[in-house]
Amino acid sequence: MTEAEDRKPQSDEARTAFDPEITSEFAIPRGLDVPRGVAEPETTSEFAVPDGLDPPQGPAHEAEGSAFSPPRTYDARTAPAAFTPAEGVQVVSLTKDVPWQDRMRTMLRLPVTERPAPEPGPKAEEGGPAVPRVLDLTLRIGELLLAGGEGAEDVEAAMFAVCRSYGLDRCEPNVTFTLLSISYQPSLVDDPVTASRTVRRRGTDYTRLAAVFQLVDDLSDPETHISLEDAYRRLAEIRRNRHPYPTWVLTAATGLLAGAASVLVGGDVIVFFAAALGAMLGDRLAWLSAARGLPEFYQFTVAAMPPGAVGVALTLAQVDVRASAVITGGLFALLPGRALVAGVQDGLTGFYITAAARLLEVMYLFVGIVVGVLVMLYFGVQLGAQLNPEAALSIAERPVVQIAASMLLSLTFAVLLQQERATVLAVTLNGGVAWCVYGAMHFAGGLSPVASTAVAAGLVGLFGQLLSRYRYASALPYTTAAIGPLLPGSATYFGLLSIAQNDVDEGLGSLTQAAALAMAIAIGVNLGSEISRLFLRVGSAGRRKAAKRTRGF
């Protein structure tokens, strides 16, 4: 063999057998070669359907609902019938023969898609008013209403009415205890416009409240054309409006209210003047505390001390008077009946956040009254004052005197609420009727005070709602002062007195009764108002008979 033949490359098999560099541990040994057959498909998957189990091919148009049929495009011509609930769809009747409060409240309780859309009226300027300015006007009106003590649902109804009067029907107002917000979306493809406003100060001025309601009523009337500038001007005049009564009249009204309340629980002439003196001193101290910037909690605490001090002083001086009537009369001027009624009303109408905040405010104010009276009672007991909790059982029945006292209490309460002079007489009569019903049921009929109070408060709410619908105003001026004679002043006092004398169980029982009476007042007023809205139609048919009707209105 030549040297050239020696350099001839060897075969692959020989090289594999003798060359250790290309030997691999994955190489298949000789004799175990796999026979060459059909290659295994590379698309084998655990989700592949085995051979022989292929689903049968159905017709081209598989019945709807099959898991294997391809989805088909929705066709309105072949669409199934629309679903209708078993109870049907409620038909809502909205007419212009009812006040705007009822119409707006009804629409707010409807879904957005079911609300009737207003027709464009003459108020809408060319191109419509600027949406941010309309929302700002709406928020300012809602702020005055909420700060004046109006319920959250009524505030939302007023805000909704203002927006609709300027053609903004796709609005969603939202009211909480201190925050008002409103959102307007022109259509589903447009961005919404949202604005909000915070209520930081609250005041009791029902004259201003009535003026705001009149403005909203004029805006809602299709026959009255008020431009946006005129509405702003009227709103500014309302905000600058002075209180109808001077300070000295308010102080005198506080004294007369306390004196009338003391007569309701069995006091005489001396008790009347003593309770009036203590209440006026407390009112002046509360004014000084407010001028110093103290919170309302401390204002109520300071205002509750003088009536308690006067009652304890008369007892220590051994003057033959009923100290319990003096202190009870002083408490009547401080009990937060307005905030309590508004809080319960918000809860009954579904505004739970606002209701919880209002009731929490009532609780804090009530605790302030408790602290102020308890301090005076504690010092009186330590000094040897003989204060008798059993005196609550000896309230004399004097129908004529008590009816006159209840009417005087309602009149002075209306003055303290800064009501219009035209409404004072109506609310005074309403308060007298409330006490007549309570006395007939409790003293003559022997019913429980809670049931008697609830029925009397229900009549107050019914009559107040009737008067407000007749005058197209808020119901608060006709109901808040009228419930004054029903407030649980005596139960509150005797509960505090028992606690001061270390009889905690009896004291808590009296305070629980006071809370039950307060809830009965609030629920009764709200129930009377709802009954009047459901079954009565007090009218604007003659007032607006020439108004152009709109869809659903």
Side-chain angles (χ1 to χ4, degrees):
M1 183 179 295
T2 63
E3 185 177 357
E5 293 177 348
D6 292 340
R7 291 196 298 265
K8 185 184 295 185
Q10 299 177 351
S11 64
D12 294 339
E13 294 181 358
R15 187 170 46 180
T16 303
F18 301 101
D19 191 358
E21 296 181 359
I22 64 173
T23 302
S24 172
E25 58 181 352
F26 299 103
I28 301 176
R30 293 181 180 180
L32 296 180
D33 296 339
V34 180
R36 297 182 178 275
V38 180
E40 185 176 349
E42 299 178 358
T43 59
T44 301
S45 170
E46 60 180 352
F47 300 104
V49 180
D51 295 338
L53 295 180
D54 295 334
Q57 299 295 329
H61 298 283
E62 187 76 24
E64 185 176 1
S66 175
F68 304 100
S69 60
R72 68 180 184 182
T73 306
Y74 174 82
D75 188 2
R77 292 175 297 180
T78 60
F83 171 75
T84 303
E87 64 274 9
V89 178
Q90 182 181 6
V91 178
V92 180
S93 176
L94 298 175
T95 66
K96 287 185 177 178
D97 295 339
V98 295
W100 62 266
Q101 297 99 313
D102 292 349
R103 291 186 284 122
M104 297 301 111
R105 185 183 294 108
T106 303
M107 280 191 289
L108 283 173
R109 295 177 181 179
L110 289 174
V112 179
T113 56
E114 299 180 11
R115 295 175 183 171
E119 294 181 358
K123 291 180 185 178
E125 304 166 1
E126 185 176 0
V131 172
R133 293 196 65 198
V134 174
L135 298 184
D136 179 70
L137 175 67
T138 303
L139 289 173
R140 291 179 183 274
I141 290 177
E143 178 190 9
L144 288 180
L145 293 176
L146 187 62
E150 193 62 72
E153 187 177 34
D154 293 329
V155 175
E156 282 197 1
M159 296 171 64
F160 196 62
V162 174
C163 286
R164 288 180 68 91
S165 66
Y166 288 103
L168 308 184
D169 60 316
R170 302 177 66 91
C171 286
E172 284 297 330
N174 186 22
V175 176
T176 57
F177 185 57
T178 58
L179 180 66
L180 300 118
S181 62
I182 188 167
S183 178
Y184 170 68
Q185 188 174 15
S187 65
L188 295 177
V189 297
D190 293 327
D191 295 331
V193 181
T194 304
S196 62
R197 193 170 182 87
T198 303
V199 179
R200 302 190 182 277
R201 296 187 61 184
R202 300 177 182 272
T204 306
D205 189 347
Y206 282 0
T207 300
R208 179 180 297 172
L209 190 69
V212 176
F213 261 77
Q214 184 61 47
L215 174 59
V216 178
D217 185 35
D218 292 341
L219 291 173
S220 303
D221 190 352
E223 295 181 346
T224 305
H225 312 316
I226 301 178
S227 65
L228 201 60
E229 288 72 18
D230 291 338
Y232 266 108
R233 178 183 54 79
R234 288 183 56 178
L235 188 62
E237 293 175 355
I238 293 173
R239 297 181 68 94
R240 291 194 300 264
N241 185 30
R242 296 176 60 105
H243 297 309
Y245 306 103
T247 303
W248 67 270
V249 173
L250 298 179
T251 302
T254 302
L256 292 176
L257 187 151
S262 66
V263 173
L264 282 179
V265 294
D268 53 13
V269 177
I270 299 178
V271 171
F272 179 91
F273 286 103
L277 176 63
M280 288 189 291
L281 291 176
D283 180 73
R284 287 293 88 196
L285 288 177
W287 276 95
L288 292 176
S289 302
R292 296 291 182 180
L294 290 179
E296 277 191 313
F297 177 86
Y298 300 105
Q299 296 177 27
F300 274 76
T301 302
V302 171
M305 289 183 177
V310 171
V312 170
L314 292 176
T315 304
L316 292 175
Q318 297 183 355
V319 180
D320 189 15
V321 296
R322 298 186 60 182
S324 60
V326 175
I327 301 176
T328 299
L331 292 180
F332 263 86
L334 300 175
L335 293 177
R338 173 182 59 87
L340 175 66
V341 172
V344 175
Q345 179 181 358
D346 289 341
L348 295 176
T349 52
F351 293 83
Y352 301 113
I353 297 177
T354 307
R358 288 187 189 271
L359 294 178
L360 186 61
E361 179 192 30
V362 171
M363 187 192 71
Y364 271 101
L365 298 181
F366 188 77
V367 170
I369 298 172
V370 167
V371 171
V373 176
L374 272 181
V375 169
M376 294 295 103
L377 293 180
Y378 177 78
F379 281 109
V381 171
Q382 296 300 317
L383 294 175
Q386 301 296 324
L387 300 173
N388 184 17
E390 301 297 330
L393 303 177
S394 60
I395 297 178
E397 298 181 15
R398 301 172 295 176
V400 178
V401 176
Q402 290 177 333
I403 291 175
S406 65
M407 296 178 68
L408 178 61
L409 193 152
S410 298
L411 187 148
T412 52
F413 203 174
V415 173
L416 289 176
L417 294 175
Q418 302 281 0
Q419 291 188 198
E420 293 179 298
R421 291 180 175 87
T423 64
V424 172
L425 178 60
V427 75
T428 300
L429 296 176
N430 201 7
V433 171
W435 183 261
C436 289
V437 174
Y438 172 80
M441 296 184 65
H442 178 56
F443 296 114
L447 297 180
S448 65
V450 176
S452 304
T453 300
V455 174
L459 289 178
V460 167
L462 177 62
F463 294 154
Q465 191 64 227
L466 290 178
L467 291 171
S468 67
R469 290 161 70 92
Y470 178 76
R471 295 176 58 94
Y472 279 79
S474 172
L476 288 181
Y478 300 100
T479 57
T480 305
I483 65 173
L486 305 176
L487 293 176
S490 58
T492 303
Y493 162 70
F494 289 111
L496 298 179
L497 178 59
S498 299
I499 294 176
Q501 294 180 343
N502 293 325
D503 193 352
V504 180
D505 293 337
E506 184 175 354
L508 292 179
S510 296
L511 292 180
T512 302
Q513 183 184 10
L517 292 173
M519 293 295 292
I521 292 172
I523 295 176
V525 170
N526 181 263
L527 182 60
S529 301
E530 293 295 332
I531 289 176
S532 67
R533 296 191 187 106
L534 287 176
F535 300 104
L536 299 177
R537 287 287 183 262
V538 178
S540 62
R543 176 182 176 184
R544 295 178 177 173
K545 60 184 179 180
K548 178 183 177 183
R549 293 197 174 274
T550 58
R551 291 179 295 164
F553 269 53

